[in-house]
Amino acid sequence: MRLFSTLAGYLATGGLACLLLACSSTPTYNATVFPYEIDQARVDQDNIKTVVIAHVNLGLPSRNYLEKEAPRIDAAVSAYLKKNGFKVLPQRDFEQLWNAAVRAYGNPVDPTSGKVNMKTFSQIMTSIRDDMRTSGLDAFIFTDLIELQTAFSGGLQHIARWDGVSRKPSLQGPGDGVSADFDWAMLLDVASLQISIYDMELQRVFASRGGIDATQAIDSRSSKGRYIRRREILENEQFIQEGIELAFYPFIKSENWPGKP
């Protein structure tokens, strides 16, 4: 997936492209870890200590059922940042400035198509940046919840792997088993946390992604076998923490990184 160093670069391409790539003191290697991008020179130069988490996506809006979980995920991200020594400004500060800028420049998201007008988005972010300079802010953090597709592996142990995580299938419904002819190659919807960090010059200094959990389960009522939307989305706190840790590496170091250093 190509990520861009400036919002202007993002504007030129029309958005972020999502690419699906087909955890102990010695974590098990996972080939699906996302190929993070970090501008270490700018990170060192910026000396990022104070951040704010944007309440809006950098890319396209999340699916409705993921968007409802966004405040809870952002709260977990905020706690993770604070645990690692960052000062996190109240999200409402960003939200109030965002709403004021939307009134001035217009809403960058087309409510019909969901597409983002990046020219308007850049104008809004520049306005917010100028207003937040006096707060001691060093960087903006965007936390997009995105949905991808993958499949469970064949064999005796059926495991889905994406963006650095490994997850087993779950059942939903009155039954307690899966039919022998279930098609394990059928694509499954899964969710990841995408992190993008921009400094006060609106230069991207870091971008990566960490898997969280499947958003679908096997329908135990179906004789032919199918996936259905899970009743509870992203409810496993351990999976959320794992996804956050993966998404921030190596901006925030972790001994649990399952990829190659």
Side-chain angles (χ1 to χ4, degrees):
M1 173 168 140
R2 186 181 176 191
L3 296 170
F4 302 92
S5 59
T6 66
L7 288 173
Y10 195 169
L11 170 62
T13 62
L16 290 176
C18 291
L19 173 64
L20 173 63
L21 307 176
C23 250
S24 90
S25 58
T26 306
T28 302
Y29 174 69
N30 189 323
T32 70
V33 288
F34 191 81
Y36 61 80
E37 293 188 12
I38 185 167
D39 187 336
Q40 192 62 57
R42 287 197 72 94
V43 169
D44 294 341
Q45 172 188 301
D46 293 336
N47 190 27
I48 297 172
K49 298 294 184 182
T50 302
V51 301
V52 68
I53 300 171
H55 72 294
V56 294
N57 279 13
L58 178 62
L60 296 176
S62 300
R63 303 292 292 270
N64 289 336
Y65 45 83
L66 289 177
E67 188 63 32
K68 290 189 294 185
E69 309 305 324
R72 183 164 54 88
I73 302 300
D74 282 352
V77 168
S78 178
Y80 183 69
L81 288 164
K82 291 175 181 177
K83 178 182 177 181
N84 284 278
F86 293 88
K87 179 180 179 181
V88 182
L89 298 180
Q91 192 175 66
R92 64 177 178 273
D93 293 353
F94 179 93
E95 187 170 1
Q96 289 171 354
L97 292 171
W98 173 274
N99 291 338
V102 165
R103 289 193 293 271
Y105 299 104
N107 194 330
V109 180
D110 185 322
T112 303
S113 65
K115 292 182 179 180
V116 180
N117 182 321
M118 289 310 300
K119 180 179 180 180
T120 303
F121 187 89
S122 296
Q123 289 175 319
I124 290 172
M125 286 303 303
T126 299
S127 174
I128 294 173
R129 183 273 312 274
D130 293 345
D131 286 335
M132 295 196 74
R133 279 193 185 278
T134 58
S135 66
L137 182 68
D138 299 316
F140 298 94
I141 298 182
F142 291 87
T143 56
D144 295 12
L145 286 175
I146 63 172
E147 194 167 63
L148 312 166
Q149 285 191 317
T150 188
F152 288 107
S153 60
L156 295 177
Q157 288 194 339
H158 301 290
I159 304 292
R161 294 181 175 86
W162 77 97
D163 288 346
V165 298
S166 302
R167 301 289 183 250
K168 294 181 179 181
S170 60
L171 289 172
Q172 187 165 289
D176 58 1
V178 181
S179 63
D181 59 349
F182 184 82
D183 181 10
W184 291 103
M186 186 167 41
L187 291 178
L188 169 81
D189 291 342
V190 297
S192 288
L193 174 66
Q194 181 171 277
I195 296 295
S196 305
I197 303 179
Y198 284 78
D199 67 11
M200 294 303 284
E201 300 306 315
L202 298 183
Q203 296 280 337
R204 183 187 55 75
V205 298
F206 177 75
S208 192
R209 214 162 70 190
I212 301 180
D213 201 2
T215 58
Q216 289 183 316
I218 298 172
D219 183 4
S220 62
R221 298 167 298 181
S222 172
S223 59
K224 295 182 179 180
R226 64 173 183 172
Y227 293 122
I228 56 174
R229 183 71 53 220
R230 294 176 68 166
R231 296 190 193 95
E232 301 295 333
I233 302 293
L234 310 185
E235 80 283 4
N236 188 307
E237 295 298 327
Q238 182 178 345
F239 288 174
I240 291 171
Q241 290 302 316
E242 183 181 7
I244 292 172
E245 197 169 340
L246 287 168
F248 273 100
Y249 184 89
F251 181 76
I252 298 177
K253 300 294 186 181
S254 169
E255 295 181 354
N256 296 322
W257 175 248
K260 296 179 180 179

